[in-house]
């Protein structure tokens, strides 16, 4: 433990909603005699949300309640504010008379602007903002090409990432990138109780008057319950570790099971990674441990580790290319003329409402609308369908996902949508166009996933469920589903849409050839 540098410090929780393996908390307790913990329900974020029963707000609130219980058991409490973050943190830092505010570094453009504003307000008070790497194993400039440039292709990035990890050490000892930043019970003695004159949540109206002790109820924040329990979502560290322990038993099958939405293949940890209720270091340690101890499951563990590296790849892409949130990563793709007008809006509405007439697409949309989650294979399928079957701008889909996904992460979402639209870095070729029927036949062969989310097709035989409009009328009658009445006809013909898309993307071919 290093010598104490400060009398008081404040840990500002953001996307690190846990108390173990926590970099900012670890640093604060190492440097300060007293440490407060706080969270801000940022009005700049909350007021932009379109749904009052927002699953993300409910998840955050649940995770914060677990944190407050953990702090309470150690003689401290969580401080919560409902305000614009820069003003809230500066005001609280002054009230608590802390020298430094500790937080995990964030990479989204709006978050970077927010942190710059906070640092300026704190500096004006003679205080500092201390940001620490926590969301990633390697920061945005720690894995670069031999020429010192950021990578734009994933495979060489992954190779360089693994090489750097091996060079620096891949265990959990104190000097490696995977070091466990957990704290001892003796360290917890430095966790400070908030000032006694702060009102306690959930006193009605208290959260509107500034900082409170404890976690306000959702209605105090202007939101409604989102019934996470009915969706099988348990917020907080406990929920994350339940999923992780379950996945440890399945990790060896991940490489083959992950593409089939009707079976239990993924880890389902994406929302926990998004809000930091589990550390990425622990997940990488889990993958490496599986590689060492489960040789028969090495392919599964290696594939899952690669997915974690993809996440870091997209973080560094967004950091170095913030324009990609609004424009094509590859500028020549901005020349594409996407469909517009009333017909385009009608097609977009059909896509958003899951009535495209393509069962796997509609089932995927039903899944996200019901749960806030969509299987990763299906994210690719529905994104390709929007861009290359409907001819709609990828930004429409990216924004809609941003409203719907409980695990929404801007870097991965923008990266995934630009991959599907072929406009991103290391994206699928522009002439590669997923066929929604063959994708359905391949990844949901018996139609189990479709039957779950599209009840109208529940009795349709597997032979016809992927393209029910081709089923004989007698078969539709027997299944109780007349296509065009009980389930929509396809909004577009895939074969014709493919030709239209190839023509639309021809402008890119012309530009790259010139």
């Amino acid at each position: 433990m290093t010598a104490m540098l400060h009398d008081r410090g404040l840990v500002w929780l953001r996307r690190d909603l846990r108390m173990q393996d926590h970099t900012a908390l670890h640093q604060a307790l190492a440097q300060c005699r007293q440490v407060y913990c706080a969270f801000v329900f940022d009005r700049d974020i909350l007021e932009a949300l379109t749904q009052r029963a927002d699953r993300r707000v409910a998840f955050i609130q649940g995770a914060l309640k677990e944190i407050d219980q953990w702090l309470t058991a150690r003689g401290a409490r969580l401080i919560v504010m409902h305000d614009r973050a820069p003003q809230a943190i500066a005001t609280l830092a002054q009230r608590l008379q802390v020298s430094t505010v500790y937080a995990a570094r964030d990479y989204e453009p709006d978050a970077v602007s927010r942190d710059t504003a906070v640092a300026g307000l704190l500096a004006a008070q003679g205080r500092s903002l201390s940001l620490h790497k926590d969301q990633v194993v390697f920061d945005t400039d720690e894995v670069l090409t031999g020429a010192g440039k950021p990578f734009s292709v994933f495979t060489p990035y992954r190779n360089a990432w693994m090489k750097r990890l091996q060079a620096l050490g891949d265990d959990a000892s104190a000097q490696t990138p995977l070091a466990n930043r957990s704290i001892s019970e003796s360290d917890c003695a430095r966790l400070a109780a908030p000032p006694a004159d702060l009102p306690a949540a959930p006193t009605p109206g208290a959260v509107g008057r500034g900082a409170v002790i404890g976690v306000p109820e959702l209605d105090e924040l202007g939101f409604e319950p989102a019934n996470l329990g009915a969706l099988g979502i348990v917020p907080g560290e406990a929920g994350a570790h339940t999923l992780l322990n379950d996945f440890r038993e399945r990790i060896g099958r991940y490489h083959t099971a992950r593409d089939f939405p009707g079976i239990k293949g993924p880890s389902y940890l994406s929302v926990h990674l998004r809000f930091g209720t589990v550390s990425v270091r622990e997940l990488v340690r889990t993958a490496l441990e599986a590689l060492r101890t489960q040789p028969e499951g090495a392919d599964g563990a290696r594939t899952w580790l690669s997915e974690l590296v993809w996440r870091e790849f997209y973080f560094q892409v967004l950091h170095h290319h913030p324009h990609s949130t609004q424009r094509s990563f590859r500028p020549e793709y901005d020349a594409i003329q996407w469909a517009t007008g009333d017909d385009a809006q009608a097609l977009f509405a059909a896509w958003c409402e899951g009535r495209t007439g393509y069962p796997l697409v509609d089932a995927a949309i039903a899944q996200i609308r019901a749960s806030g989650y969509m299987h990763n294979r299906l994210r690719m399928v529905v994104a390709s369908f929007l861009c290359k079957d409907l001819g709609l701008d990828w930004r429409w889909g990216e924004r809609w996902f941003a409203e719907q996904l409980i695990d929404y992460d801007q870097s991965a979402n923008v990266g995934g949508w630009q991959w599907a639209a072929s406009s991103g870095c290391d994206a699928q070729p522009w002439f590669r166009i997923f066929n929604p029927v063959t994708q359905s036949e391949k990844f949901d062969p018996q139609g189990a996933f479709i039957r779950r989310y599209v009840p109208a097709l529940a009795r349709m035989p597997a032979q016809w469920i992927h393209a029910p409009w081709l089923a004989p009328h007698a078969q539709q009658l027997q299944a109780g589903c007349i296509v065009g009445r009980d389930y929509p006809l396809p909004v577009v013909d895939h074969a014709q849409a493919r030709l239209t898309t190839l023509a639309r993307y021809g402008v890119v071919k012309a530009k790259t050839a010139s």
Side-chain angles (χ1 to χ4, degrees):
M1 189 69 69
T2 58
M4 295 298 169
L5 299 177
H6 310 295
D7 185 39
R8 296 177 179 178
L10 171 65
V11 174
W12 175 16
L13 301 169
R14 292 113 67 95
R15 289 184 52 168
D16 47 0
L17 302 183
R18 63 186 186 279
M19 289 286 100
Q20 295 301 323
D21 203 0
H22 192 294
T23 307
L25 179 62
H26 180 83
Q27 289 296 323
L29 290 171
Q31 297 179 3
C32 304
R33 293 183 178 86
Q34 285 187 305
V35 174
Y36 301 95
C37 295
F39 180 85
V40 181
F41 281 102
D42 192 340
R43 289 186 181 274
D44 286 331
I45 296 173
L46 298 190
E47 290 174 4
L49 298 178
T50 59
Q51 303 177 59
R52 292 301 91 192
D54 192 284
R55 301 179 185 96
R56 292 163 293 194
V57 178
F59 185 94
I60 291 169
Q61 192 225 23
L64 293 177
K65 286 190 172 183
E66 185 186 65
I67 288 172
D68 189 44
Q69 291 170 359
W70 189 92
L71 290 170
T72 299
R74 290 156 180 81
R77 291 296 301 275
L78 180 67
I79 302 171
V80 175
M81 293 160 286
H82 182 207
D83 199 353
R84 286 173 170 77
Q87 292 75 21
I89 289 299
T91 299
L92 183 63
Q94 185 172 42
R95 180 170 187 175
L96 298 176
Q97 288 297 294
V98 301
S99 301
T100 303
V101 174
Y102 296 81
R105 185 173 294 112
D106 207 336
Y107 305 95
E108 296 181 359
D110 288 347
V112 172
S113 297
R114 174 202 62 200
D115 290 350
T116 299
V118 171
L121 291 173
L122 291 174
Q125 300 175 356
R127 311 178 206 281
S128 63
L129 176 64
S130 181
L131 298 177
H132 299 271
K133 178 177 64 176
D134 189 76
Q135 292 182 36
V136 295
V137 174
F138 290 119
D139 229 329
T140 51
D141 293 320
E142 289 187 298
V143 179
L144 299 171
T145 67
K149 303 292 184 180
F151 284 93
S152 59
V153 179
F154 173 69
T155 298
Y157 173 83
R158 180 192 60 202
N159 295 341
W161 191 99
M162 291 299 302
K163 184 177 180 180
R164 182 170 176 81
L165 181 66
Q166 291 162 3
L168 295 175
D170 62 1
D171 60 28
S173 60
Q175 302 304 314
T176 72
L178 299 184
N180 190 329
R181 273 80 169 183
S182 291
I183 58 175
S184 67
E185 288 300 317
S186 61
D187 292 333
C188 294
R190 288 187 291 282
L191 291 169
D197 60 343
L198 286 181
T203 302
V207 73
R209 299 196 299 269
V212 299
I213 298 173
V215 184
E217 297 301 326
L218 289 170
D219 61 352
E220 283 287 286
L221 301 168
F223 287 85
E224 302 170 5
N227 201 13
L228 296 181
L231 302 174
I233 299 171
V234 180
E237 287 185 79
H241 283 99
T242 296
L243 290 176
L244 182 57
N245 290 334
D246 175 74
F247 183 62
R248 284 190 175 103
E249 304 300 316
R250 301 183 286 109
I251 191 171
R253 302 187 297 274
Y254 177 76
H255 65 298
T256 56
R258 65 178 182 140
D259 279 324
F260 296 87
I263 64 176
K264 193 176 182 180
S267 70
Y268 303 106
L269 282 163
S270 55
V271 64
H272 293 280
L273 259 181
R274 169 63 180 86
F275 293 109
T277 48
V278 68
S279 91
V280 67
R281 292 178 297 279
E282 182 171 6
L283 300 191
V284 172
R285 293 195 299 263
T286 296
L288 294 174
E289 179 66 16
L291 283 170
R292 285 190 286 263
T293 62
Q294 302 178 33
E296 72 285 355
D299 288 342
R302 190 176 295 110
T303 301
W304 192 56
L305 177 59
S306 185
E307 292 300 301
L308 295 175
V309 181
W310 262 108
R311 175 178 174 271
E312 301 208 358
F313 175 68
Y314 278 143
F315 269 129
Q316 64 91 29
V317 169
L318 181 63
H319 171 78
H320 290 289
H321 307 279
H323 75 276
S324 64
T325 62
Q326 300 297 327
R327 303 191 306 278
S328 297
F329 176 88
R330 300 163 68 182
E332 63 269 24
Y333 282 80
D334 283 328
I336 292 174
Q337 297 296 309
W338 301 104
T340 58
D342 291 345
D343 288 346
Q345 291 294 339
L347 288 173
F348 184 57
W351 182 87
C352 293
E353 294 165 14
R355 48 181 181 83
T356 68
Y358 286 90
L360 189 64
V361 173
D362 293 341
I365 295 296
Q367 182 185 39
I368 193 175
R369 289 172 69 95
S371 68
Y373 171 82
M374 185 185 289
H375 188 277
N376 188 61
R377 164 58 59 175
L378 302 184
R379 297 187 197 202
M380 293 189 285
V381 170
V382 301
S384 177
F385 186 84
L386 180 117
C387 299
K388 295 184 176 179
D389 278 83
L390 304 184
L392 302 180
D393 193 329
W394 64 266
R395 282 159 282 231
W396 292 14
E398 196 279 332
R399 285 193 293 267
W400 192 79
F401 268 28
E403 295 174 355
Q404 299 292 326
L405 285 172
I406 191 171
D407 61 3
Y408 174 74
D409 199 314
Q410 187 178 38
S411 58
N413 201 54
V414 169
W417 274 95
Q418 292 228 38
W419 181 91
S422 300
S423 59
C425 59
D426 203 11
Q428 66 170 339
W430 60 270
F431 49 82
R432 184 185 178 197
I433 302 170
F434 282 176
N435 183 319
V437 174
T438 56
Q439 289 284 309
S440 183
E441 292 170 340
K442 183 175 181 179
F443 296 113
D444 191 28
Q446 297 304 311
F449 183 81
I450 291 170
R451 294 179 217 284
R452 178 178 178 184
Y453 285 102
V454 186
L457 297 172
R459 293 165 51 197
M460 189 68 70
Q463 178 185 1
W464 304 109
I465 197 168
H466 309 290
W469 62 91
L470 299 179
H473 185 70
Q475 184 64 72
Q476 295 183 35
L477 281 172
Q478 187 177 347
C481 179
I482 303 300
V483 178
R485 185 191 71 186
D486 305 307
Y487 180 71
L489 287 161
V491 292
V492 293
D493 175 80
H494 173 72
Q496 182 57 53
R498 181 179 182 278
L499 296 176
T500 302
T501 291
L502 292 175
R504 174 176 285 114
Y505 276 74
V507 64
V508 177
K509 183 179 180 180
K511 280 182 171 291
T512 54
S514 61

